[in-house]
């Protein structure tokens, strides 16, 4: 992968034999000012050479230039964006786009989620950056094209995109052209003028042609650079220049055929064969060419071809890797098929063997397929499966599904099950059970455990014996996963335990997977103690198996379970141990490290340590908010929304929850705190009852529903909405239904030892009883909640109830209930009201968040900078600014700052 990456990002070497073209250089200067520059023309028009010349000069104008050379394999979004990020990181200081790859692992979030982080990183770059994507015409994947549209729409003003290809890309070119945001260089621009043709033929190539000959060649080639290059090579050493030029005619395709034949026919036989035989390679090195051709002079041959400008493009500065000019390679391949058709398959087999020996399985497989050697390709695929699964490259495995004949896959149980797993990872379970049964029948027949003749060794092909031994347990694991998706907890546990029993004692990884599925089933069913125990066992096995990153995934689940049990101290210790584990691992940062900081922030926010909570969220973002588990980006926004709510910024909190909802990508873990329910709670607090009631209606929630742990958070939220309805409308039915629902919820949560829910339900019971003027009962519920909450340091679950809770806490203080704890909670409930106490002269005081925005309005920061400072969207800043103007009675920023100063708000 290292040599491939190096070749992909290398800017092609500047050609010394081509003439300077100031008219195009001047056009390209606009590329450093325009979002998009398009260089679009047929093959052989000098697109790459032109851009290489321009990129070489980029540092002199203060721009950083990143380069990616594309090929068909880059239609894989993971590869495409990996190369883009690597190219940017090669020229920009810092870790631009460091987390994009983690987001591309299945299940993949929407493309705007994946690239939003890259755009944010690019905003932070201070230098002008030019990103060149060469040979973009090979990109056909819709996912990649959509990503490019998003990137272009959100490109920072100092970042410029340059695309070169043989066809126009699927981008909004008409819109960009109308706005003046597009620089275009097309075939008509790239064609050599008569003067440029003369300078090239007579100057660079030293042919001493007459002006009439130059004009004839320029006319017949229409300035097509590749044809001029080929013509110049054919003219070298000829006496009858006039005769050759006068007979030179035809359209582009015939010109290429004619000149290439002339070039090839003039080469010595050994060079001719070398060119044809190595044309099957996308990139060439001396040792690779030696393997393919069966000779030992590959390095010297490549050096000679390079010196002779025979359409060889260096891919690195050390002259180790090359490629043929694409047009030349295509013609060579056509001649190979015509002249040596029987040798093509063997050449590909040799290339496959070389790449296998040099640990590049993808290239080895590609050449095996090209050779039609499906047995070899299947064996290589089987051996590649474990590494691809570890790196979450299931899309690559799925891409192989149609490459092999059914009869080859049918007798390979390991490969067949690998394909099944790749489909299951994408949520494609249709037909999976049938595939599993087919594999089982193959295994049973081979071992003689079913009636009928025992299969011979030839009937079943196994390359990876270790994976073969794990097949029975793996089959049961997939059945457990399918059962979990169906919501069948009992079947999940049954199959998962069977998977454990069938896995060899010393193979920790499959046993860890089965144990984790048992944990998930218990968690989904609300048996939190059993879930915690199973996850702890799975975590220990993962540590023994060396899967250090997955250990953090288990730690996150363990902490989530402790939070549901109301055990904040244990959850905090779990996160801390996770961070210690990550620190011991060193670099690179483990997937899931950022999640530990998000989790710690949620505990600290509940304890009302908002500065520390914010610091952990900022630390998470520094680590790369998307380097954790796939859900991490959504969790980060949920956590920050909690901080914003505690600060009194409900609008900012809702904005963050809207983002979280858009970013959420589910997995096998139970979604026990759905983002829409969190948002409905804030709508209820804001008085936006239409939105809150609409959520409950959409979820088809009722106070008479059967209660389950999976929907407990939804039902508690429904109780909140009903209480808000009673407050707004004084509807007796609403509070009656809320009271009845809370009573049922409390019994269910207590029975399941879900103390976190018990505390919240008791708080809501106290508030509802206060609404009914049942002060004694309200204080009784409150006291029970305080007793459970004080040892763990809960604060926000009380403080977020606002004035009603403050009133109850004052009553509790008078009765001597938990005096020190109640005083602390009273301080917290008053923290969101203090802003109004220092704002005389205002009918409606500024909130704490509005005061913060007002202070930043008094600095030199612009709107986007203020948004970044506060970790909110630009729209949220604008909303706060409008509220500030309205409350202060002003209509511009300067007046708002002056008014704030006069009121001693700044």
């Amino acid at each position: 992968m290292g040599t491939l990456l190096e070749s992909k990002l290398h800017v092609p070497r500047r050609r010394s034999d081509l003439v300077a073209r100031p008219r195009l250089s001047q056009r390209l200067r606009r590329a450093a000012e325009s979002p998009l520059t398009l260089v679009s023309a047929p093959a052989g028009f000098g697109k790459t050479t032109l851009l290489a010349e321009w990129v070489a000069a980029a540092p002199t104008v203060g721009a950083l230039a990143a380069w990616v050379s594309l090929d068909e394999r880059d239609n894989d979004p993971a590869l495409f964006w990996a190369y883009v990020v690597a190219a940017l990181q090669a020229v920009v200081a810092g870790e631009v786009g460091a987390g994009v790859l983690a987001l591309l692992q299945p299940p993949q979030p929407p493309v705007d989620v994946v690239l939003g982080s890259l755009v944010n990183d690019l905003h932070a770059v201070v230098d002008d950056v030019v990103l060149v994507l060469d040979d973009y015409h090979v990109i056909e994947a819709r996912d990649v094209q959509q990503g490019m549209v998003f990137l272009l729409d959100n490109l920072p003003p100092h970042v410029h995109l340059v695309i070169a290809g043989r066809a126009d890309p699927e981008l909004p070119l008409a819109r960009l052209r109308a706005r003046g945001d597009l620089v275009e260089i097309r075939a008509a621009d790239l064609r050599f003028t008569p003067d440029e043709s003369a300078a090239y033929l007579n100057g660079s190539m030293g042919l001493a042609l007459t002006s009439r000959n130059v004009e004839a060649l320029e006319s017949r080639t229409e300035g097509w650079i590749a044809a001029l290059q080929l013509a110049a090579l054919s003219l070298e050493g000829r006496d009858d220049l006039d005769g050759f030029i006068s007979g030179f005619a035809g359209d582009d395709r015939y010109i290429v055929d004619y000149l290439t034949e002339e070039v090839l026919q003039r080469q010595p036989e050994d060079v001719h064969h070398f060119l044809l035989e190595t044309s099957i390679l996308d990139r060439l090195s001396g040792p690779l060419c030696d393997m393919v051709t069966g000779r030992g002079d590959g390095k010297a041959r490549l050096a000679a071809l390079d010196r002779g400008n025979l359409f060889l493009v260096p891919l690195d500065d050390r002259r180790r890797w090359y490629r043929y000019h694409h047009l030349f390679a295509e013609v060579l391949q056509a001649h190979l098929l015509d002249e040596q058709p029987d040798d093509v398959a063997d050449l590909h087999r040799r290339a496959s063997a070389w790449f296998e020996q040099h640990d590049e399985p993808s290239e080895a497989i590609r050449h095996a397929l090209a050779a039609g050697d499906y047995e070899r390709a299947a064996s290589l695929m089987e051996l590649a499966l474990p590494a691809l699964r570890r790196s979450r490259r299931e899309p690559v495995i799925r891409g192989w599904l149609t490459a092999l004949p059914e009869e080859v896959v049918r007798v390979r149980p390991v490969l067949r099950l690998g394909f099944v797993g790749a489909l299951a990872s994408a949520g494609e379970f249709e037909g999976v059970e049938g595939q599993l049964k087919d594999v089982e029948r193959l295994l049973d027949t081979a071992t003689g455990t079913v009636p009928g003749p025992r299969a011979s060794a030839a009937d079943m092909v196994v390359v990876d014996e270790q994976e073969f031994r794990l097949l029975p347990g793996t089959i049961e694991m997939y059945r457990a996963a399918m059962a979990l998706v169906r919501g069948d907890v009992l079947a999940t546990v049954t199959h998962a335990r069977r998977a454990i029993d069938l896995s060899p004692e010393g193979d920790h990884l499959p046993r860890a997977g089965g144990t984790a599925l048992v944990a998930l089933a218990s968690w989904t069913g609300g048996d939190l103690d059993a879930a915690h125990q199973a996850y702890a066992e799975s975590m220990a096995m993962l540590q023994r198996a060396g899967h250090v990153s997955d250990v953090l995934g288990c730690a996150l689940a363990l902490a989530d379970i402790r939070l549901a049990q109301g055990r904040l101290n244990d959850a905090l210790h779990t996160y801390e141990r996770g961070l210690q584990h990550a620190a011991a691992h060193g670099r690179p940062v483990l997937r899931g490290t950022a999640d530990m900081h998000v989790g710690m922030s949620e505990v600290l926010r509940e304890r009302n340590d908002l500065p520390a909570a914010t610091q952990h969220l900022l630390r998470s973002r520094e680590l790369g908010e998307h380097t954790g588990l796939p859900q991490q980006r959504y969790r980060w926004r949920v956590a920050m929304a909690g901080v914003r709510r505690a600060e009194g910024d409900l609008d900012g909190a809702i904005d963050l929850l809207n983002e979280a909802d858009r970013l959420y990508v589910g997995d096998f873990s139970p979604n026990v705190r759905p983002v829409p329910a969190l948002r409905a709670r804030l709508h209820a607090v804001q008085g936006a009852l239409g939105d809150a009631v609409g959520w409950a209606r959409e979820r088809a929630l009722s106070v008479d529903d059967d209660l389950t742990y999976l929907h407990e958070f939804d039902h508690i939220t429904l109780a909140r909405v009903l209480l808000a309805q009673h407050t707004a409308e004084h509807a007796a039915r609403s509070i009656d239904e809320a009271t009845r629902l809370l009573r049922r919820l409390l019994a269910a949560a207590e029975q399941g030892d879900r103390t976190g829910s018990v505390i919240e339900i008791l708080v809501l019971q106290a508030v509802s009883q206060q609404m009914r003027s049942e002060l004694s009962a309200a204080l009784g519920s409150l006291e029970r909640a305080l007793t459970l909450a004080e040892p763990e340091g809960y604060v926000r679950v009380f403080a977020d109830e606002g004035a009603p809770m403050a009133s109850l806490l004052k009553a509790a203080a008078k009765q001597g209930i938990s005096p020190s704890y109640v005083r602390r909670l009273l301080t917290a409930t008053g923290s969101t009201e203090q802003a109004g106490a220092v704002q005389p002269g205002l009918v409606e005081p500024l909130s704490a968040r509005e005061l913060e925005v007002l202070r930043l309005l008094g600095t030199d920061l612009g709107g986007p900078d203020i948004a970044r400072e506060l970790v909110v969207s630009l729209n949220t800043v604008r909303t706060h600014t409008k509220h500030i103007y309205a409350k202060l009675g002003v209509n511009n920023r300067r007046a708002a700052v002056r008014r704030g100063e006069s009121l001693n708000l700044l």
Side-chain angles (χ1 to χ4, degrees):
M1 181 66 180
T3 57
L4 177 58
L5 180 62
E6 183 179 4
S7 66
K8 299 283 288 187
L9 308 187
H10 179 77
V11 180
R13 184 164 53 94
R14 301 171 64 187
R15 293 181 61 96
S16 59
D17 59 343
L18 291 184
V19 298
R21 310 182 75 187
R23 62 186 179 87
L24 295 180
S25 299
Q26 185 173 2
R27 179 85 64 91
L28 279 171
R29 287 193 188 99
R30 287 188 55 212
E33 304 167 0
S34 177
L36 175 64
T37 295
L38 175 63
V39 184
S40 181
F45 271 80
K47 301 180 291 293
T48 299
T49 301
L50 174 69
L51 291 177
E53 290 280 337
W54 177 66
V55 164
T60 65
V61 294
L64 304 174
W67 184 288
V68 182
S69 297
L70 300 168
D71 59 45
E72 287 81 4
R73 287 161 294 182
D74 300 328
N75 280 285
D76 177 358
L79 282 177
F80 180 93
W81 294 112
Y83 291 136
V84 168
V85 168
L88 291 169
Q89 290 179 343
V91 299
V92 176
E95 296 185 357
V96 172
V100 169
L101 282 182
L103 280 179
L104 287 169
Q105 307 309 327
Q108 292 182 8
V111 66
D112 55 335
V113 175
V114 176
L115 297 181
S117 60
L118 177 59
V119 171
N120 289 338
D121 290 348
L122 289 173
H123 271 288
V125 177
V126 296
D127 299 293
D128 274 13
V129 178
V130 175
L131 171 61
V132 180
L133 301 178
D134 195 21
D135 287 335
Y136 188 81
H137 59 272
V138 302
I139 300 300
E140 299 175 351
R142 187 166 182 80
D143 288 349
V144 176
Q145 292 171 348
Q146 289 175 341
M148 288 293 295
V149 172
F150 177 87
L151 179 63
L152 189 59
D153 285 344
N154 295 275
L155 211 58
H158 59 280
V159 180
H160 314 280
L161 191 60
V162 178
I163 290 178
R166 299 181 185 178
D168 283 2
E170 294 291 330
L171 295 175
L173 301 181
R175 187 180 74 203
L176 293 165
R177 193 178 293 120
R179 293 196 316 222
D181 287 338
L182 175 64
V183 174
E184 295 178 83
I185 297 177
R186 297 191 171 274
D189 307 304
L190 290 166
R191 287 190 177 102
F192 269 13
T193 66
D195 289 342
E196 289 170 342
S197 296
Y200 171 70
L201 294 168
N202 290 335
S204 299
M205 301 302 296
L207 293 175
L209 301 180
T210 65
S211 58
R212 189 180 66 178
N213 285 340
V214 171
E215 182 179 351
L217 276 178
E218 195 277 333
S219 175
R220 286 172 169 79
T221 63
E222 298 184 34
W224 186 24
I225 301 168
L228 283 171
Q229 289 179 278
L230 287 165
L233 287 171
S234 295
L235 286 166
E236 287 182 333
R238 284 185 178 272
D239 297 327
D240 185 14
L241 298 182
D242 290 341
F244 175 82
I245 293 172
S246 64
F248 178 71
D251 61 24
D252 290 352
R253 181 168 60 87
Y254 293 117
I255 292 171
V256 173
D257 288 346
Y258 180 81
L259 291 177
T260 306
E261 287 170 10
E262 285 291 311
V263 171
L264 286 174
Q265 288 174 3
R266 293 169 64 87
Q267 300 301 319
E269 186 176 355
D270 56 345
V271 175
H272 180 93
H273 282 299
F274 181 88
L275 290 170
L276 296 191
E277 291 174 352
T278 56
S279 67
I280 66 163
L281 302 169
D282 286 348
R283 51 195 173 97
L284 307 97
S285 71
L288 175 55
C289 291
D290 290 343
M291 171 69 88
V292 170
T293 63
R295 293 186 287 268
D297 58 351
K299 182 177 180 181
R301 291 278 186 197
L302 291 173
L305 293 175
D306 187 23
R307 288 193 302 271
N309 288 323
L310 205 60
F311 300 100
L312 198 66
V313 181
L315 296 178
D316 58 54
D317 293 327
R318 292 174 291 177
R319 298 274 196 300
R320 291 179 56 195
W321 286 94
Y322 300 85
R323 68 167 175 84
Y324 289 123
H325 183 287
H326 295 314
L327 183 63
F328 190 51
E330 291 167 6
V331 176
L332 290 175
Q333 289 162 11
H335 280 276
L336 174 65
L337 287 171
D338 190 43
E339 297 178 29
Q340 301 173 231
D342 295 337
D343 296 336
V344 174
D346 193 47
L347 293 171
H348 280 292
R349 286 192 190 93
R350 295 176 192 172
S352 176
W354 190 91
F355 282 113
E356 180 189 10
Q357 293 167 12
H358 290 80
D359 198 26
E360 294 197 38
S362 293
E363 283 295 290
I365 291 166
R366 187 176 70 83
H367 281 287
L369 291 172
D373 192 343
Y374 298 119
E375 294 293 340
R376 173 177 174 78
S379 296
L380 291 169
M381 290 176 187
E382 184 172 320
L383 292 171
L385 287 175
L388 287 171
R389 282 197 297 261
R390 279 195 299 271
S391 59
R392 303 301 301 273
R393 297 292 304 280
E394 284 88 352
V396 173
I397 303 173
R398 291 197 293 273
W400 293 337
L401 286 172
T402 58
L404 296 175
E406 168 62 22
E407 60 270 19
V408 173
V409 179
R410 188 187 305 124
V411 296
R412 294 174 175 265
V414 174
L415 183 61
R416 193 168 185 176
L417 207 58
F419 287 164
V420 168
L423 291 171
S425 71
E428 299 178 28
F429 290 102
E430 185 177 354
V432 165
E433 179 58 32
Q435 293 275 12
L436 297 179
K437 288 181 178 178
D438 287 346
V439 172
E440 282 181 322
R441 277 193 290 270
L442 185 61
L443 297 178
D444 290 342
T445 303
T447 55
T449 59
V450 296
R454 180 184 175 91
S456 67
D459 293 321
M460 184 171 65
V461 179
V462 175
V463 179
D464 191 329
E465 292 288 346
Q466 182 175 355
E467 288 292 306
F468 178 73
R469 289 195 299 272
L470 301 178
L471 287 184
T474 304
I475 291 171
E476 290 302 321
M477 187 136 32
Y478 288 141
R479 287 198 170 117
M482 287 191 293
L484 189 63
V485 170
R486 294 195 306 268
D488 189 340
V489 174
L490 180 60
T492 301
V493 174
T494 300
H495 288 297
R497 293 200 182 283
R498 195 174 296 160
I500 296 169
D501 293 340
L502 290 171
S503 298
E505 188 68 33
D507 285 313
H508 303 298
L509 189 59
R511 297 175 70 84
T515 306
L517 282 164
V518 171
L520 281 166
S522 300
W523 191 3
T524 301
D527 189 348
L528 301 186
D529 282 333
H532 192 276
Q533 180 179 346
Y535 261 124
E537 292 173 3
S538 178
M539 186 177 184
M541 285 184 275
L542 286 168
Q543 285 179 308
R544 288 194 289 272
H547 277 236
V548 289
S549 186
D550 290 327
V551 169
L552 294 188
C554 280
L556 187 65
L558 288 169
D560 281 346
I561 292 169
R562 287 305 191 217
L563 290 174
Q565 293 176 318
R567 297 166 66 169
L568 300 187
N569 291 320
D570 287 348
L572 192 61
H573 292 154
T574 299
Y575 291 131
E576 289 170 344
R577 286 194 297 272
L579 287 176
Q580 291 168 3
H581 178 79
H585 174 75
R587 293 283 178 178
V589 176
L590 282 180
R591 181 173 65 94
T593 304
D595 291 297
M596 299 297 105
H597 287 284
V598 172
M600 291 183 74
S601 79
E602 291 186 296
V603 175
L604 293 166
R605 179 204 56 82
E606 177 55 48
R607 290 177 168 175
N608 208 37
D609 190 349
L610 302 186
T614 301
Q615 284 303 310
H616 276 284
L617 287 172
L618 293 176
R619 177 56 179 155
S620 170
R621 190 173 63 176
E622 289 170 8
L623 288 171
E625 60 181 86
H626 30 271
T627 59
L629 299 173
Q631 291 170 301
Q632 193 273 328
R633 284 171 57 84
Y634 112 84
R635 290 178 70 114
W636 190 95
R637 281 151 181 81
V638 168
M640 186 59 84
V643 173
R644 291 288 175 261
R645 178 184 179 176
E647 294 171 339
D649 183 6
L650 296 183
D651 287 336
I654 288 177
D655 278 348
L656 284 161
L657 290 178
N658 287 336
E659 284 188 57
D661 196 18
R662 181 171 56 85
L663 298 176
Y664 176 75
V665 178
D667 59 10
F668 289 112
S669 300
N671 185 17
V672 292
R673 293 180 72 230
V675 174
L678 288 165
R679 186 171 51 216
R681 291 178 172 213
L682 292 188
H683 283 146
V685 173
Q686 281 188 319
L689 286 178
D691 291 329
V693 172
W695 162 82
R697 189 177 297 116
E698 182 181 326
R699 294 284 295 151
L701 294 172
S702 162
V703 296
D704 296 316
D705 290 338
D706 291 335
L707 301 182
T708 64
Y709 168 61
L710 202 57
H711 299 113
E712 187 169 80
F713 193 83
D714 276 349
H715 282 110
I716 295 174
T717 304
L718 175 61
R720 288 183 174 278
V721 173
L722 291 169
L723 291 176
Q725 274 186 309
H726 172 74
T727 300
E729 303 166 2
H730 303 290
R733 179 180 175 183
S734 295
I735 196 168
D736 288 344
E737 288 186 337
T739 299
R740 181 156 52 91
L741 178 58
L742 287 169
R743 190 180 304 118
R744 295 177 61 219
L745 284 166
L746 180 61
E750 287 179 329
Q751 184 177 2
D753 290 327
R754 298 187 291 274
T755 305
S757 293
V758 169
I759 293 170
E760 182 182 5
I761 295 166
L762 286 170
V763 166
L764 291 178
Q765 270 196 338
V767 171
S768 68
Q769 289 160 345
Q770 182 190 39
M771 290 178 180
R772 290 174 171 272
S773 301
E774 299 171 358
L775 183 59
S776 177
L779 288 175
S781 298
L782 179 61
E783 185 172 11
R784 289 182 61 195
L786 293 170
T787 301
L788 293 171
E790 184 175 10
E792 301 294 332
Y794 279 89
V795 175
R796 295 312 314 177
V797 70
F798 299 96
D800 285 344
E801 299 305 318
M805 179 54 62
S807 174
L808 274 175
L809 288 170
K810 289 174 184 176
K814 289 179 181 179
Q815 296 194 13
I817 298 173
S818 303
S820 61
Y821 188 34
V822 168
R823 281 196 300 273
R824 180 182 168 199
L825 296 179
L826 277 169
T827 300
T829 57
S831 64
T832 59
E833 301 168 1
Q834 291 171 359
V838 296
Q839 299 174 38
L842 292 181
V843 175
E844 185 180 359
L846 301 184
S847 69
R849 174 58 69 181
E850 288 165 351
L851 280 171
E852 195 169 0
V853 172
L854 177 60
R855 293 187 185 103
L856 291 172
L857 289 175
T859 69
D860 294 331
L861 295 177
D865 297 320
I866 292 175
R868 282 192 289 272
E869 180 74 18
L870 299 178
V871 199
V872 297
S873 70
L874 183 57
N875 283 336
T876 299
V877 172
R878 290 169 177 161
T879 299
H880 286 316
T881 304
K882 284 196 294 186
H883 291 168
I884 292 168
Y885 289 176
K887 291 178 181 181
L888 297 180
V890 299
N891 57 15
N892 62 68
R893 178 172 180 167
R894 185 174 299 175
V897 173
R898 284 200 302 267
R899 176 75 166 140
E901 289 172 344
S902 70
L903 294 172
N904 295 320
L905 298 179
L906 297 177

